[in-house]
Amino acid sequence: MKNYLFAASLIFSLLLFPLWDQPGLAREPLHKPLADRELSRSTSPKALSPAYSGCGEIIAPVINAEYEQRVVELVNQARAENSLPPLKRTDSLDQAARYQAADMGQDNYFDHDTYDRVAGELVYVCNTWERISTYYSGANAENAAAGYETPEAVMAGWMGSQGHKENILNDYSHEIGVGYFAGSGDFYHYWIQDFGARSEVYPLIINREAATTDSRSVSLYIYGEDLWQEMRLRNETGDWSAWGPFQATIDWQLSAGIGEHTVSAELRAGSQRVTSSDTIYLTSAGNPPELGNLPDSLVFTYSIPDQELLPAFQLVTPLNVGNDDPLSWEVTAQGTFFTVEPLQGTTPESLTITPTDFDRNNPNIYTGAITVTVVNPAGVAGSPHTIALTLQVVDTQIFQTYLPGVHNKGGISANDRSLNSISH
């Protein structure tokens, strides 16, 4: 039976060209062309009872949720390999695809259009777009396949056929639905992919529509780059982030805790606003990121008699002390007697603080501060962190004390240098 199904595997693609709004149909067998086209509409009544009737609308049961999800992930993997954005899986397109897959298996035919079997004969009911429209508005392409036993096999078949590959890699669909049926019909396994893009819907997609993640650090893709000017994000019903420029791709931090997590985006351009969201299941609590390795204060001393600044500069290295994920940070400065370089970076890059603009002839105390803020991902513990800065300009000499290096498991430490100022 398996050899027969493999040899007789079929794939069809149906593409609705958006410029002309007319359907085009391409039928390409993967392995061996069928001598008789009507074999795909077999007269054999190998159908489950009762079979569906009508043009969609019925919510078919899920036969294998993992298979359907895997096809979505493989589609988005292929799109990523071709520098295309991911597609958002949508319940209504799933339902449209699942109905057709089940109906083909139950009524034992293989076609994009929908048929009923009446007294052993197939009777045309409706076309592809009429069927999908009972679930979803905005469909623009469909792939169908029969006889393939796994998601990997059916995706290899579609990607090996030009018409189907073009549907998978098109640049005008934003959403996808997948339907799988097994249990009856000449080919036993039936697959449908439906593609679409709804007006006024701008999908948000977490981790290329993966079902699960073991890390709180995720990547988001949001449609609407040519329309929306600003965006803000939040986890579940928490506080919104500050408004910022629209970004199609952004790294984000899920809230803590194993379970389903939702990320929402609000997009705006002038008075127009729209919201979008996606969910993913966090399988591991893990350790959340945390900004650390930063002092609370730093002190510089300048000796007028010695004309020497000690230390000449301070090197500060922000680190993620929670886990191994990189943190992107920015620095803001309060005060004018020093410079900070660079003003932005990614852990474990360092920044340098150097006193530069102060009176070197008169004793004084200068104060200021820098604030290190993690900008990506948002909501990281320990951020923002403020470091108080003090520069003492003294009319005394500085006596320096050196301590010998110390051997330890981490290596040899540099000589410690302490400063003592003494009045004459």
Side-chain angles (χ1 to χ4, degrees), residues 302-372:
Y302 181 81
S303 169
I304 297 175
D306 295 337
Q307 297 184 17
E308 184 177 10
L309 174 68
L310 292 174
F313 60 87
Q314 291 276 16
L315 195 66
V316 176
T317 306
L319 293 178
N320 182 352
V321 297
N323 57 40
D324 295 330
D325 295 336
L327 304 178
S328 297
W329 48 262
E330 291 182 352
V331 175
T332 55
Q334 300 86 47
T336 59
F337 70 88
F338 61 92
T339 61
V340 183
E341 293 183 348
L343 292 176
Q344 59 186 16
T346 302
T347 56
E349 296 173 354
S350 299
L351 58 97
T352 303
I353 306 165
T354 307
T356 55
D357 188 11
F358 60 92
D359 185 348
R360 287 167 167 78
N361 299 312
N362 297 293
N364 203 348
I365 296 178
Y366 298 84
T367 60
I370 65 167
T371 300
V372 182

Side-chain angles (χ1 to χ4, degrees), residues 205-207 215-222 231 233-235 241 247-254 263 325-328 346 374-380:
I205 303 158
I206 305 174
N207 281 6
S215 172
R216 290 177 60 204
S217 297
V218 296
S219 62
L220 309 179
Y221 185 88
I222 307 171
M231 61 185 289
L233 302 166
R234 72 175 179 181
N235 288 319
S241 66
Q247 300 177 64
T249 58
I250 186 170
D251 294 329
W252 184 252
Q253 191 76 18
L254 301 176
V263 179
D325 295 336
L327 304 178
S328 297
T346 302
V374 175
V375 294
N376 197 4
V380 170

